[in-house]
Amino acid sequence: AMAALPAAPEVFRLYFRTGAAALDPPSQRLIDTILAEARRRPGADVSIVGHTDTQGDAASNERLGRERAESIARLLRARGLEAVAITVVSHGESDLLVPTPDGTNEIRNRRVEVIVR
């Protein structure tokens, strides 16, 4: 019965330059790993969630988080991602990985999380 269970979701974190939707170099190298994981799972379901640090106002950060998530979705599709479902959302600055005060430049909060199920 255990063998029939689906594999646990894999979570990948991609990090961005300040105020932009441009990936940092180590994150660029993870794209192939994400694609390989999605291809390994028949009928993959991929969630792409954008986040920001606390620089800027909440509305701008919500837009930037979405822009980052959508840029990753476009990149994965362009590289051949085939998934049953691809969900793109933004949490902006509302779901910090590292709690910081407003106006803090924190790379670990400037991320997109890609969850492959």
Side-chain angles (χ1 to χ4, degrees):
M2 294 299 284
L5 292 174
E10 285 287 332
V11 179
F12 301 91
R13 287 192 180 117
L14 306 171
Y15 297 98
F16 292 80
R17 296 189 175 117
T18 302
L23 284 170
D24 70 5
S27 296
Q28 291 173 6
R29 292 189 289 274
L30 273 178
I31 298 300
D32 286 337
T33 305
I34 294 168
L35 289 167
E37 182 62 27
R39 289 178 181 133
R40 189 179 74 77
R41 297 170 184 252
D45 178 349
V46 179
S47 297
I48 304 170
V49 184
H51 302 269
T52 67
D53 58 22
T54 59
Q55 291 188 324
D57 64 77
S60 295
N61 284 336
E62 182 72 23
R63 284 189 299 276
L64 180 56
R66 177 167 289 285
E67 182 181 333
R68 288 174 174 163
E70 288 175 350
S71 74
I72 297 304
R74 283 191 302 274
L75 175 63
L76 292 172
R77 285 184 187 112
R79 299 276 307 272
L81 174 66
E82 293 181 19
V84 170
I86 299 173
T87 306
V88 177
V89 298
S90 174
H91 289 187
E93 63 182 55
S94 68
D95 186 15
L96 300 174
L97 186 61
V98 179
T100 61
D102 283 346
T104 302
N105 179 349
E106 173 53 62
I107 189 168
R108 292 170 292 177
N109 289 332
R110 291 191 313 268
R111 70 196 189 281
V112 161
E113 293 177 347
V114 179
I115 302 107
V116 181
R117 295 179 197 80

